[in-house]
Amino acid sequence: MTRIVDRKSETEALRRLADDGEKKLALLYGRRRVGKTYLLTNLWPRERVFYFTASATTEEQNRRQLIRQAAQWSGEEMREEDFPTWR
């Protein structure tokens, strides 16, 4: 397991969310180059949690990509037209 340094509170909060057995949505944001993606990719096996990193494209392109990746990860059919907005 990769050691994560100086992120104890963040690690504990994210693990609590993932370990309680319920589906949840968490938004992780912050300045560039502070280790957000590294933290997410090293806390759990990729099969256990889903995370999406938005790209520097349009809101619409990010929404569509999120739907495609979530469907692929979950194995459930998700159609873009069923999710016309971020809400």
Side-chain angles (χ1 to χ4, degrees):
M1 182 171 169
T2 303
R3 185 177 162 153
I4 298 173
V5 178
D6 290 334
R7 292 286 186 242
K8 185 176 181 179
S9 64
E10 294 91 339
T11 300
E12 288 175 356
L14 289 168
R15 284 199 172 129
R16 271 194 311 273
L17 284 172
D19 291 344
D20 77 355
E22 294 182 28
K23 292 180 181 180
K24 298 227 169 96
L25 171 67
L27 301 177
L28 182 65
Y29 64 94
R31 291 187 338 259
R32 293 181 56 196
R33 312 286 307 158
V34 295
K36 298 176 298 293
T37 301
Y38 183 86
L39 181 66
L40 292 174
T41 57
N42 289 283
L43 277 179
W44 309 278
R46 183 75 171 148
E47 311 80 47
R48 183 157 174 233
V49 297
F50 169 76
Y51 71 89
F52 172 76
T53 304
S55 300
T57 61
T58 69
E59 182 178 322
E60 180 67 14
Q61 288 172 323
N62 275 309
R63 184 187 60 78
R64 288 175 186 245
Q65 186 64 26
L66 172 61
I67 293 166
R68 284 191 293 270
Q69 288 182 15
Q72 182 181 4
W73 176 80
S74 68
E76 295 181 21
E77 181 182 358
M78 299 175 80
R79 300 176 327 160
E80 293 176 15
E81 55 270 13
D82 292 337
F83 303 93
T85 69
W86 284 100
R87 290 185 176 252

